[in-house]
Each structure stands twice: as structure tokens, then as C-alpha cells.
Amino acid sequence: MSGLSQFLALAGDGIKANRLLWLLIGGFAVFPIFTHFADLPFWNDVAMRIMLLGMAAMGLNLVLGYGGMVSFGHAAFIGIGAYCVGIGEFYGLTNGWAHILLGMIVCGLMGLIIGYLALRTSGIYFIMITLAFAQMLFFLFVSLEQFGGDDGMSIDRAEFGLIDLYDPLRLYFLIWVALALVGLGLMFIVRSRFGVTLRAIKSNESRIEAMGLEPLRFKITGYVISAVICGLAGVLFANWQEYVSPDIMHWTRSGELMIIIILGGLGTLAGPLLGAIVFLLLEESLPMLLGAVAPAYAENWMILFGPLLIMVVLFGRGGLVGLIATRNQSTSNQKRGKAGQ
Amino acid sequence: MSQPILNLLNLNKSFGAVKATSDLSLTVMPGEIHALIGPNGAGKTTLIQQIYGAQKQDSGQISLNGSEITALSVPDRVKAGIGRSFQISNVLMDFTVMENGIIAEQARLGQSFRFLRPAFSDRQLIRGGKAILERVGLEKRAEQRVGDLAHGERRMLELALALATSPSLLLLDEPMAGAGPEDSQRMADIIEGLRGTVAILLIEHDMDAVFRLADRLTVMVEGAVIAAGTAAEISANEAVKLAYLGGEE
Ligand SMILES: Nc1ncnc2c1ncn2[C@@H]1O[C@H](COP(=O)(O)OP(=O)(O)OP(=O)(O)O)[C@@H](O)[C@H]1O
Ligand SMILES: [Mg+2]
């Protein structure tokens, strides 16, 4: 009883302190109303993709942004989660809850193994080892002919008890609930004793050792949590795509996740989600824009996106969230200044 | 006579051709301030690194409170009672002074592996963090970002963090280097105040501070001990005058 009310009070405090994150998540909750009345059902699909990549980026951000570990292989965990659905169904496991459980457990174990081995290194070596593990898994799934090899395998949306994912918006809100839970969980974690220790390790690992703590334990734990979140995103991704192939864990997707985080704001709760929104909207609109001006270049929308990303990184030190925060701060400073006069 | 806190026996460490520690033996007694002096490159920091566990000796023994600690990692040696400040100040730069205190407090309490309650607004941790800062008089600067502190204050914060684990042996690598005269004086006062409560191995180039603070001194040159004794004995020692003090006077 008092435990629950305490929890709610803590959650309330956290939500107040992270308005932007909950504004975005709330926005996704009401977005289908908009698409319904504007008659743009296609955009529900885009929104699901944004939520899925945003969720995965939020998971990666725990190690990349808060822990300072530049993992260049997190798409592998999305892939493992997705293949847990495909391979599960192949062997007759059609229950979606079981897929989620399986995907999260397998990703947790893989995260533990990869983290344990890779986190003994740091800097460029860590980047390369995480990339190497991801490539290994990529080629493993390419070579598994019974699961479609590089053609992949098609997937039926899983059975979630009373929820039929083929009914309209059921999948949308399943993804939304997962996103909200991930947001809530991460909100608690980054402010907790564990979370501040992880941030302190990023700031100065040797001082944490000097406090008698073993940094590796915290880093591995963070790595496992982030792998589990990406695994959850992967399971839902497979249901959304109704198809899984090794492409889902191509190294360019790991890079995409990093771009999303840096664009949105490294080490912020709202950053990865905001980054995913902007990144995927640009991915939708830039080719059209470019297509209208120079049709031959429509495929190469990155030509425009690249300079944009560089500008955000150069001028908004903390990504888009940083830009928003500095603006708010300067306006509130102005107000305070006026009040003082 | 009571048992030494720290006992180094025939320690050796080489970097290629450079002998950084040469057959070195040394004891630090409970509660004493033991100064380690010697010219630049004598191997003082390297010695501390080996005691602390960040570098491994090539041969020889290190015992803390009578038990051999060579196999222990840095965090385990900290838990066994070693605290340290570094030659280049080593604090959590991206945090406020109070947050540094809080992170040290939760580590001290063994609570760093908790996932639910926010740390920085926890009353118990704030109280403990404040107590950690008060030991060096930094509580007035609690809300400052560490990056905005004066150099001397950062050194003070680092000492506070080192003291937070209640060490029985404190390794201080030039705690006054780079601090202004006022902060140096404050630092010396704080170290003086610790005498008798914790054994201190103090590396310091400021000879006035060393002679004021040290119960005993060990003089190192090229990795080896050339003299050890009280301040009076050392200042009268001909070999030391020649090798080290002579150059300054
Ligand atoms: N990691 C290392 N690799 C190679 N040589 C090293 C290393 N660390 C120290 N040395 C060498 O070992 C010797 C002792 O260095 P150390 O830093 O211990 O001296 P120090 O007495 O602390 O000097 P200072 O007073 O300048 O701080 C020096 O010759 C130094 O160049
Ligand atoms: Mg030194």
C-alpha cells in the first residue's frame, strides 16, 4: 500500500523532471486519433517504426550516453529478438508473450557474454569488438539456410491471448505500452544509485575504483539491460514487419541507432526518441524533397542529412534536446533577469 | 611495538632499462605521517601505484595490516583499507561537489547496486555526502560544479573522497602541488588534523610542509631508499644533502 503510493510519488517526480520524454510518449498515444481523422493510416505505420527504433535507441543510450561505452553492434540484439519470433514460430511456438520472454532472456544472455568479453577493452578496441560480434551473428544467420538464410523468413503476427494483432491498432498499442514501460524503467534506472554510478564511471572510472567499486560489474549490468531492451524492440519489430532477415542486424542499423541518439541528445532520456522521430521523418521526406528537385538523387537523401547532422552536433552540443534545453534556459534566465531589475 | 599498517619488503619494478623501484623496503606505522621524498623521477608515484594495486611489482611483498595483498585488485585493496589521492587531481568532474559526496557515500554504504530510488535527492545520502564534505570544509561549495572549483579545492574534494571509505592507510601523491599558498596551508592543516587517526604515506615536494607534518621520512633516489628517519635525522644526513636537499639550499 504505502509501497505503491511511494512508487507513484517517485514516478510522478520523475515524470515532472522529464516532461519532454512523456510529452513525446503521450503524443504517440493520441497520434492514431489524428491519423484517423486526417485519413492517413500509412502514418500509423511510420509511427510504429519510430517507436521501435526509438525504443532500441533508448536501450543503447544507457550504455552509449550514460555509460560512455560506444557499442557498435546493438542491431545484433534487435536481430536476435526478431529471430526469437521467427525461429520460435518455426518450431511451433506461436505465443507472443513467450516470444517476448524468450527474446529478452536470450538477449540478456548474449549481452552478458558479449559484454563480459568486450568490456575488458575500451575505446576503439571496444567499438571494434562489439562490431565484430554483431558481424559474426549477422553471418551466422545468413548461413542458417533452414531459417531462410539471407532471404530471411516470413512471420505471422504472434498470438497475444485476447489481443489479436491483426485487428487495427492492437500492434500499435502493444508497441506503445512497451515504449512507455521502457521509458519508465530507464527513468528510474538513470536516476538511481546504479545509474549515477554508471554516469560516474563514464566521467572518471579510476575514481570509482578508488571508492572500492568494481566498474566492470556496473558496465556489464548496464550492457545487459540495454541488450534486453533492444531484444524487446526486436521481438515487436518482427511482428510489425511480419518478416525477418539478417538485414535487421546489418551494421548500418547499429550506426543508425548511434546517429539517432547523437542527433536527439546523448545521455538524455528524451533524446533517442526525439532523434528517432526526426531521423525517420527526414528519411521519409528528404527523398521526396530531393526527388522533386533532382530525381536522380532521390536515393541519396543522406547527402542532405549528413550536413544537417553535423550542424546539430556542432551547434547543439547536447543534440536536439540540448538545443531545446538551452532555449528554455535562456528564456527563463531572461525572465529571472527582468524580475531582478 | 605495534604491527605496521603497511610493510613493503624488497620491492622491485622496472620499466625496460629504468629501475623505478629497486629492492625497496619500508614500513608505515599506525597513525603516523610518513613522508616519501625524492627528486623528480625517483619512483615515488610508481611505488604508490604498486601499493594501490594499479601496477604490479616485479618481485617483493606488500602487506597491509599483516596480510599480503599482492593478489588483490584496486577495489579490493580499497575495501581492505587503502585510500588514495592522485598526483593529477582525480575527482568526478562532470558532477557537483555534493554529487561527488553522494556517490562516495552510497559506495561507502555498499548501496551502489540499487535501481529504484533517485540517488541525488535521497535524504540519507545527502546527509552522508555532506558529512564527507565537512571533513575538508567544502560543504559551502556543495552546489558548485567540480569543473568550476579552484584547483586547491579540487584537491581538497579528492582528499574528502579518499577519506570517505574510512581507510587505515592514506596514500597522498603531492596533495599540495598546484594549489595556491592559502589552499596549501589549509591542506596542511587538514592533514595535520588526521595525524593519529589514519596512517598517511605522503609524497610532497614542498619541504616546509614535509618537515612540519612528517613523523618520519624516507628519501628515494633512482628507485632506492637512500635514507630514512625523523626530520632531524634526515636534515642532518650528508647523503641526503648531497643527493637532494643540497640542490635547494
Ligand atoms: N608507465 C611507465 N612506463 C615507463 N616508464 C615509467 C612509467 N611510469 C614511470 N616511469 C618511469 O619510472 C621512473 C619513476 O617515475 P615516477 O613517476 O614514479 O617518479 P616520481 O618520483 O613520482 O616523480 P615526480 O616527482 O616527477 O612525480 C621515471 O623514470 C619514469 O619515467
Ligand atoms: Mg610522481
Side-chain angles (χ1 to χ4, degrees):
Chain A
M1 216 3 226
S2 79
L4 181 68
S5 64
Q6 239 180 1
F7 176 84
L8 290 178
L10 284 178
D13 282 351
I15 288 169
K16 257 183 253 159
N18 294 284
R19 281 218 185 82
L20 183 57
L21 173 72
W22 294 102
L23 210 66
L24 296 176
I25 293 178
F28 280 109
V30 297
F31 186 66
I33 301 175
F34 164 75
T35 55
H36 176 76
F37 284 109
D39 198 22
L40 292 167
F42 161 75
W43 284 94
N44 282 343
D45 220 44
V46 176
M48 283 193 268
R49 203 165 117 80
I50 292 174
M51 286 193 285
L52 287 168
L53 281 186
M55 193 192 311
M58 284 164 82
L60 172 58
N61 189 36
L62 182 64
V63 292
L64 187 70
Y66 290 98
M69 298 165 255
V70 185
S71 170
F72 197 0
H74 259 55
F77 299 117
I78 300 181
I80 293 171
Y83 268 102
C84 280
V85 180
I87 296 174
E89 287 187 355
F90 184 86
Y91 289 109
L93 181 70
T94 53
N95 186 294
W97 302 115
H99 292 159
I100 288 180
L101 199 66
L102 185 69
M104 289 171 74
I105 289 173
V106 174
C107 281
L109 288 175
M110 288 304 291
L112 188 64
I113 295 168
I114 296 177
Y116 183 82
L117 295 171
L119 286 169
R120 275 147 210 290
T121 64
S122 59
I124 192 86
Y125 299 100
F126 177 74
I127 300 175
M128 287 300 129
I129 288 183
T130 51
L131 177 62
F133 273 112
Q135 287 299 87
M136 238 162 64
L137 286 163
F138 176 82
F139 286 109
L140 173 72
F141 282 102
V142 166
S143 69
L144 288 175
E145 286 300 334
Q146 69 267 45
F147 304 128
D150 56 3
D151 291 332
M153 59 205 304
S154 67
I155 284 173
D156 290 328
R157 287 189 181 172
E159 294 160 10
F160 279 88
L162 293 176
I163 311 165
D164 183 351
L165 291 189
Y166 285 103
D167 282 347
L169 288 181
R170 298 304 192 278
L171 180 60
Y172 185 99
F173 278 102
L174 183 66
I175 294 172
W176 183 85
V177 168
L179 176 71
L181 287 177
V182 166
L184 194 69
L186 285 173
M187 183 183 85
F188 276 104
I189 288 174
V190 301
R191 290 145 47 92
S192 70
R193 287 162 167 75
F194 169 82
V196 302
T197 307
L198 196 63
R199 283 157 55 195
I201 288 169
K202 177 191 177 186
S203 172
N204 184 350
E205 189 163 339
S206 73
R207 183 36 71 186
I208 289 301
E209 276 194 313
M211 291 176 182
L213 302 175
E214 180 56 75
L216 191 61
R217 282 181 63 201
F218 294 86
K219 291 206 262 183
I220 290 179
T221 306
Y223 199 83
V224 168
I225 294 171
S226 85
V228 167
I229 292 172
C230 285
L232 173 64
V235 169
L236 297 170
F237 206 101
N239 280 284
W240 171 75
Q241 205 171 224
E242 297 178 62
Y243 164 77
V244 57
S245 78
D247 258 359
I248 197 173
M249 55 174 96
H250 197 258
W251 67 270
T252 51
R253 186 179 305 279
S254 295
E256 220 169 83
L257 291 178
M258 289 163 76
I259 291 173
I260 285 172
I261 293 173
I262 293 164
L263 176 68
L266 209 59
T268 63
L269 279 172
L273 194 53
L274 187 60
I277 293 170
V278 173
F279 180 83
L280 290 177
L281 287 183
L282 288 175
E283 191 187 57
E284 291 291 335
S285 58
L286 284 183
M288 276 191 266
L289 215 74
L290 216 56
V293 188
Y297 293 96
E299 286 281 291
N300 303 323
W301 59 280
M302 281 275 180
I303 292 178
L304 291 180
F305 179 76
L308 223 59
L309 179 67
I310 291 171
M311 300 242 285
V312 170
V313 171
L314 283 183
F315 295 111
R317 267 298 170 75
L320 293 170
V321 168
L323 282 176
I324 294 171
T326 3
R327 269 200 48 180
N328 280 352
Q329 217 162 50
S330 60
T331 45
S332 69
N333 280 353
Q334 275 169 8
K335 274 183 210 150
R336 221 176 295 150
K338 279 194 191 114
Q341 279 163 5
Chain B
M1 210 169 130
S2 62
Q3 176 190 297
I5 291 274
L6 178 72
N7 195 2
L8 305 179
L9 197 62
N10 304 116
L11 223 51
N12 284 287
K13 173 93 189 161
S14 302
F15 296 110
V18 178
K19 206 131 176 50
T21 312
S22 175
D23 207 30
L24 185 144
S25 298
L26 179 158
T27 58
V28 178
M29 302 308 290
E32 82 168 334
I33 299 177
H34 192 127
L36 185 62
I37 63 174
N40 290 114
K44 304 179 296 294
T45 299
T46 305
L47 185 66
I48 283 209
Q49 287 280 82
Q50 293 168 80
I51 300 168
Y52 181 63
Q55 289 180 357
K56 198 164 186 297
Q57 72 267 31
D58 297 337
S59 67
Q61 285 170 14
I62 303 174
S63 18
L64 186 73
N65 287 316
S67 43
E68 170 75 33
I69 58 167
T70 302
L72 298 188
S73 68
V74 169
D76 285 340
R77 289 188 201 201
V78 172
K79 280 183 217 140
I82 296 181
R84 169 167 189 196
S85 78
F86 292 76
Q87 185 161 357
I88 295 163
S89 59
N90 185 304
V91 289
L92 302 171
M93 289 291 274
D94 304 327
F95 294 83
T96 67
V97 174
M98 188 52 161
E99 287 166 352
N100 270 260
I102 286 175
I103 292 169
E105 173 69 1
Q106 64 179 31
R108 182 181 80 80
L109 295 171
Q111 296 181 345
S112 298
F113 242 99
R114 294 188 183 178
F115 295 82
L116 198 57
R117 287 168 181 288
F120 290 154
S121 55
D122 188 286
R123 284 217 195 87
Q124 188 201 359
L125 291 183
I126 291 174
R127 211 178 309 124
K130 192 154 172 263
I132 287 171
L133 301 180
E134 275 166 356
R135 297 189 73 170
V136 298
L138 268 185
E139 70 280 3
K140 298 173 295 297
R141 310 287 273 159
E143 298 314 317
Q144 292 276 319
R145 298 218 125 240
V146 173
D148 298 335
L149 288 184
H151 183 78
E153 290 176 315
R154 256 179 241 163
R155 307 252 48 174
M156 230 83 83
L157 175 61
E158 188 176 2
L159 180 60
L161 298 181
L163 285 171
T165 54
S166 310
S168 51
L169 172 68
L170 201 51
L171 309 171
L172 302 180
D173 198 348
E174 301 192 25
M176 294 156 205
E182 228 167 274
D183 282 337
S184 289
Q185 185 58 43
R186 259 178 77 194
M187 179 64 86
D189 291 343
I190 293 169
I191 293 171
E192 176 74 61
L194 292 172
R195 187 195 307 278
T197 63
V198 49
I200 298 175
L201 186 61
L202 170 72
I203 298 180
E204 189 48 63
H205 281 297
D206 176 349
M207 280 308 136
D208 293 335
V210 166
F211 282 117
R212 173 188 156 195
L213 291 172
D215 298 306
R216 281 199 300 153
L217 289 89
T218 294
V219 188
M220 265 182 92
V221 176
E222 289 176 11
V225 172
I226 61 160
T230 62
E233 286 164 5
I234 293 297
S235 45
N237 186 303
E238 290 302 318
V240 175
K241 275 186 194 157
L242 206 64
Y244 187 45
L245 298 175
E248 291 186 1
E249 270 149 353

